[in-house]
Amino acid sequence: MKGVILAGGLGTRLNPLTFVTNKHLLPVYDKPMIYYPIETLVKGGITEVLIVTSGPHVGHFLGLLKNGKEFGLTHLEYAYQEKPDGGIADALSIARDFADNGPLAVVLGDNTTDADISEAVKNFKSGGHVFLREVPDPQRYGVATIDPNDKTKLIDIVEKPKNPVSNLAVTGLYLYDNKVFDFIDGIQPSDRGELEITDVNNMYLKKGELGWSMLGGYWTDAGTFDTLYRASKYWFEKHQQDKK
């Protein structure tokens, strides 16, 4: 399985910090944000990675990450998303050639976690797989509904609902087979003008091909000032604990 890190967008929620560099290169405690998703993939056994990015600061990635060898990557590619506001699914569509008809682990570049996804990667056969997490602010995410009569069954995902029916957020970590690109081709822009990854996940769901699991360990996105602070605080405290 190969890995794709989606590190595009303009990061406007973090202005003025993102006037000077890409959001995903901002520091989360002692590392640039992009290090965390790279480490998640490598820890999961994935060493061939594509980083999809956009905006005026794309050259900063190459100077920082180089060829990825210091992270344990065997192959690192970069791709450019011409429409930084095109949405997550639009960014993922750029990975079609890189996937080479194989499965992908996809992670959003502002996600930081110490979860181990290696078992899910090893056991993945086909379809799609999402990782869920209980959160205090589900209206910021795709929100999953579990069948009350069958707790193993996922029945719906709604993107950023004003009145969430649960607190189960779809984290920015996904596993897909190669049908994901056909599904992306079949969706239309949302009211926000974006190709939503939630629409792709719901297409898998309608075909009965979307698995899910709860994401263990620590997880947060770092795409707002509040979550950037919380992520930095967690990794600082973890670092202090590890030194004891």
Side-chain angles (χ1 to χ4, degrees), residues 36-49 68 71-74 117-118:
Y36 294 89
I38 293 175
E39 290 168 357
T40 296
L41 293 176
V42 172
K43 185 177 172 182
I46 297 166
T47 61
E48 295 181 70
V49 170
F71 302 96
L73 297 176
T74 59
I117 64 168
S118 58

Side-chain angles (χ1 to χ4, degrees), residues 133-141 164 166-169 219-220 230:
R133 190 64 179 259
E134 293 184 350
V135 297
D137 50 355
Q139 65 276 4
R140 293 181 53 231
Y141 305 94
S166 82
N167 66 344
L168 284 176
W219 171 84
T220 186
R230 288 204 299 265

Side-chain angles (χ1 to χ4, degrees), residues 15-145:
N15 285 341
L17 303 183
T18 46
F19 289 151
V20 294
T21 195
N22 185 286
K23 172 181 76 172
H24 307 89
L25 302 181
L26 294 173
V28 175
Y29 179 46
D30 61 344
K31 300 175 186 176
M33 193 185 298
I34 193 71
Y35 279 32
Y36 294 89
I38 293 175
E39 290 168 357
T40 296
L41 293 176
V42 172
K43 185 177 172 182
I46 297 166
T47 61
E48 295 181 70
V49 170
L50 171 70
I51 295 176
V52 179
T53 187
S54 59
H57 309 298
V58 293
H60 296 178
F61 284 91
L62 188 60
L64 175 68
L65 304 176
K66 304 178 179 65
N67 294 317
K69 301 300 182 185
E70 66 181 90
F71 302 96
L73 297 176
T74 59
H75 181 83
L76 178 61
E77 285 187 30
Y78 302 88
Y80 185 73
Q81 183 185 17
E82 294 186 14
K83 298 185 296 181
D85 56 353
I88 294 171
D90 178 70
L92 179 55
S93 70
I94 299 169
R96 189 188 302 258
D97 290 340
F98 173 76
D100 195 24
N101 296 315
L104 293 172
V106 181
V107 57
L108 303 188
D110 64 357
N111 275 224
T112 77
T113 182
D114 54 12
D116 185 349
I117 64 168
S118 58
E119 281 299 308
V121 169
K122 184 172 66 175
N123 295 327
F124 182 80
K125 298 294 189 294
S126 63
H129 188 95
V130 295
F131 295 86
L132 306 182
R133 190 64 179 259
E134 293 184 350
V135 297
D137 50 355
Q139 65 276 4
R140 293 181 53 231
Y141 305 94
V143 175
T145 303

Side-chain angles (χ1 to χ4, degrees), residues 13 87-88 108 110 137-144 157-166 168-170 174 190 192 194-199 202 221 224:
R13 288 180 299 175
I88 294 171
L108 303 188
D110 64 357
D137 50 355
Q139 65 276 4
R140 293 181 53 231
Y141 305 94
V143 175
I157 301 173
V158 179
E159 180 65 19
K160 296 182 174 62
K162 291 182 179 179
N163 299 297
V165 297
S166 82
L168 284 176
V170 179
Y174 321 89
S190 67
R192 301 192 301 159
E194 298 184 8
L195 294 182
E196 305 284 1
I197 200 66
T198 291
D199 290 340
N202 278 324
D221 73 275
T224 69

